[in-house]
Each structure stands twice: as C-alpha cells, then as structure tokens.
Amino acid sequence: MNVITFGTFDMPHIGHVKILNRAKELGNKLIVGVSSDALNFSKKGRNPVYSEQERLFLVNSFKGVDKVFLEESLEKKREYILEYKADILVMGDDWKGKFDEFSDICQIIYLPRTPSISTTSVIEVVKMSRPSPEDNE
Ligand code: C2G
C-alpha cells in the first residue's frame, strides 16, 4: 500500500514526526509532498523559515519516509495521487473534509493533530525569548 501526505514541514517538530510515523504504519511506502516556498507564501502570507530544498532534505531524512517531492500547487493533488499511485491520502484533522473529493481514487484518512505544538507557536516562543545577561559575558 502506498501512502501519500502533504505539508510544509517548516522547522520540523514532534507533531510532524508523529503524523509521518502514523502515516507510515498505514502502508508500506510513504510518499511526502513538501509544499514549495511559493505555495507556502500563497497559503500563509510568509516565507517558510527553511527553504524548500532544506525542507525536502529534512523530511527525506525521517525514518519511514521513502520518497519526497515538491508540492507546487494545492490544485494538483489529484495528479500527484495518481502519479505516485497512492492508495491512501493521510492529512492532519485540521484539514478534515477538505480532501474528500479524492475518495474516488484513494482512501482518505485524517489523523488527529498533536496538541499544543505548531511551527507558528515555536516562532512566537523564539521571538519572545530575550537574551539573559549571562549570554553577553
Ligand atoms: N500536524 C500535526 N500536529 C501538529 C502540527 C501539524 O499532526 N501539531 C500535521 C498537519 O496536520 C499536517 C502535517 O503535520 O498534516 C504538516 O503540517 P504543516 O507543515 O503545517 O502543513 P500544512 O501547512 O498544513 O500543509 O496540501 C496541504 C498542505 O500542503 C498542508
């Protein structure tokens, strides 16, 4: 069974690792579409912290990931599912219902998101942290 999933995977964190691990358990081969910088900008209005080349490299380094490719457009999902012969599409449940239109060509599974962690929250924590006096010594 081929499993496909999509995401930005910027500043990878435990939520990303968990969904990739759970996706892999559903089949034998895990294929990941990593959103391009341009797609990310159009979705979120900012560039990712890590470039698409770095994010492809990072996601490809995860245990269980068999193949990565660049997801150039949200509208090309059907093409990608067919091209990579995916039997199952996995997404976090923040996308629940959004990809049901592909249920004619593969099974769609929405997995629960890991609570309390997101790239945005990590960025906020980093922004808020101030150097302590010892850092300047
Ligand atoms: N995720 C999760 N738990 C979190 C954060 C993210 O399970 N705490 C999951 C998301 O639900 C998603 C995957 O990790 O399935 C990647 O998350 P993002 O990098 O935020 O990807 P996103 O911007 O949602 O891109 O074509 C679809 C998009 O490209 C998805």
Side-chain angles (χ1 to χ4, degrees):
M1 289 282 235
N2 292 340
V3 182
I4 196 167
T5 191
F6 296 88
T8 307
F9 301 100
D10 191 21
M11 301 177 69
H13 54 67
I14 193 154
H16 294 142
V17 175
K18 282 190 173 171
I19 198 163
L20 292 174
N21 286 349
R22 285 180 294 166
K24 174 72 175 197
E25 282 167 12
L26 296 169
N28 335 92
K29 187 171 175 192
L30 177 59
I31 304 144
V32 185
V34 175
S35 302
S36 69
D37 290 340
L39 173 56
N40 202 261
F41 195 87
S42 72
K43 278 195 305 190
K44 298 188 179 166
R46 67 166 174 80
N47 275 123
V49 173
Y50 291 131
S51 71
E52 57 193 27
Q53 289 309 321
E54 290 169 320
R55 290 181 290 109
L56 281 167
F57 176 78
L58 284 162
V59 173
N60 199 224
S61 308
F62 286 148
K63 192 175 94 194
V65 173
D66 298 289
K67 180 163 186 58
V68 291
F69 69 94
L70 211 54
E71 180 195 25
E72 309 265 11
S73 155
L74 294 179
E75 278 70 52
K76 287 172 94 177
K77 270 212 177 51
R78 182 173 289 273
E79 256 175 65
Y80 294 136
I81 293 168
L82 293 171
E83 181 180 345
Y84 293 102
K85 299 184 174 35
D87 303 292
I88 306 174
L89 167 63
V90 168
M91 289 301 298
D93 61 5
D94 45 327
W95 291 92
K96 201 172 177 106
K98 297 266 165 52
F99 301 122
D100 290 356
E101 63 188 281
F102 307 121
S103 58
D104 57 332
I105 49 171
C106 66
Q107 191 186 347
I108 322 287
I109 299 180
Y110 302 99
L111 294 173
R113 265 173 80 91
T114 302
S116 319
I117 176 91
S118 68
T119 301
T120 310
S121 70
V122 174
I123 291 174
E124 287 309 312
V125 169
V126 173
K127 270 195 204 159
M128 275 163 24
S129 65
R130 293 278 176 273
S132 63
E134 300 87 67
D135 292 341
N136 295 323
E137 284 168 8

